[in-house]
Amino acid sequence: MRFTITVVCSLLHCLLLAQKLYFDVVLFGNKIGTTVVERIVKNDSMIQYKLNSSSEVTLFLAKKTSQLTFDILYKNGKLFSSYVKNVKDGVTEIVNIIWRDTKYIIERGEEKLQLAQPLDFTGILLYFTEPVNRTRVFSERLGEFVPIVKTGTGEYECKTANGVRNIYRYKNGKLVELEMNKGASVFLRLVQ
């Protein structure tokens, strides 16, 4: 009996420490890929977030591919480090962010930037938390702030400098759909 209780408690502890969300990537009503987002509690002060997304589609006889990888670490409720690798049609972009002393060092390709403001809410958290009362969010992939506007009940929109509209839709505080629009809409839909 004692062994069973210990096993059950251990399983519950693991479930509370890790959360994994699965999304289908959908274009024109067809599934073209998958996205998995994970939140892993390392200890009382460290939480790791991972995102892996892969999609492939043929449009007008041209094959389009996209692979996105995030590995993000929060320490004491603040962004500590971030690695993002974005590969679109064979072209790779990498953004690294690390907190050093009193500022972030942001490496975006050959570009190096600094940001002295500690970040407590970045783009990865949009998968786990509705951005109530937020007016901007820091994008790990872009290495910059983007505005976020509430457009309806449980709906928020971010417009990036390159013209992409990201619309986040929540139900009971849980992200159920992300629409990315730049001419045509690609959807991430939560797999129930």
Side-chain angles (χ1 to χ4, degrees):
M1 181 70 174
R2 176 181 259 175
F3 175 75
T4 304
I5 291 172
T6 303
V7 169
V8 170
C9 288
S10 294
L11 287 172
L12 286 173
H13 183 68
C14 287
L15 288 173
L16 293 174
L17 294 181
Q19 182 180 10
K20 205 179 251 193
L21 304 174
Y22 298 89
F23 294 87
D24 287 337
V25 181
V26 178
L27 175 66
F28 303 126
N30 298 311
K31 179 180 172 182
I32 61 167
T34 57
T35 298
V36 178
V37 189
E38 193 170 4
R39 178 184 185 273
I40 306 157
V41 176
K42 297 290 194 179
N43 57 44
D44 289 343
S45 66
M46 305 280 273
I47 300 175
Q48 181 180 26
Y49 296 90
K50 292 185 172 198
L51 180 145
N52 287 293
S53 182
S54 180
S55 61
E56 182 178 304
V57 66
T58 301
L59 293 173
F60 308 112
L61 303 177
K63 184 176 177 179
K64 301 286 187 183
T65 60
S66 177
Q67 288 150 350
L68 187 60
T69 304
F70 283 47
D71 191 353
I72 297 168
L73 191 61
Y74 268 70
K75 185 176 182 180
N76 296 320
K78 307 280 189 247
L79 179 68
F80 181 73
S81 67
S82 172
Y83 169 83
V84 176
K85 182 178 181 183
N86 185 20
V87 183
K88 281 199 178 206
D89 302 323
V91 177
T92 301
E93 295 176 345
I94 294 176
V95 178
N96 279 303
I97 303 170
I98 185 81
W99 178 259
R100 286 206 184 114
D101 300 321
T102 60
K103 63 185 174 258
Y104 291 103
I105 306 299
I106 302 167
E107 295 177 354
R108 207 169 41 189
E110 298 297 315
E111 188 177 22
K112 286 193 179 189
L113 308 165
Q114 295 183 10
L115 179 66
Q117 172 187 352
L119 300 169
D120 66 352
F121 196 90
T122 61
I124 195 72
L125 296 185
L126 292 170
Y127 289 91
F128 298 95
T129 307
E130 186 172 344
V132 178
N133 300 322
R134 299 272 176 182
T135 58
R136 66 183 189 162
V137 63
F138 188 85
S139 168
E140 302 93 342
R141 188 178 64 79
L142 300 174
E144 63 189 28
F145 285 101
V146 293
I148 188 164
V149 177
K150 184 172 184 169
T151 56
T153 302
E155 186 173 284
Y156 302 82
E157 182 177 309
C158 287
K159 288 184 186 175
T160 61
N162 65 354
V164 177
R165 287 179 49 231
N166 295 306
I167 303 166
Y168 296 83
R169 296 185 177 102
Y170 296 83
K171 187 173 184 178
N172 299 321
K174 182 178 185 178
L175 182 67
V176 293
E177 182 178 80
L178 167 55
E179 177 182 355
M180 297 161 284
N181 182 298
K182 188 176 182 181
S185 288
V186 175
F187 295 89
L188 294 186
R189 293 196 174 123
L190 183 65
V191 177
Q192 303 294 337

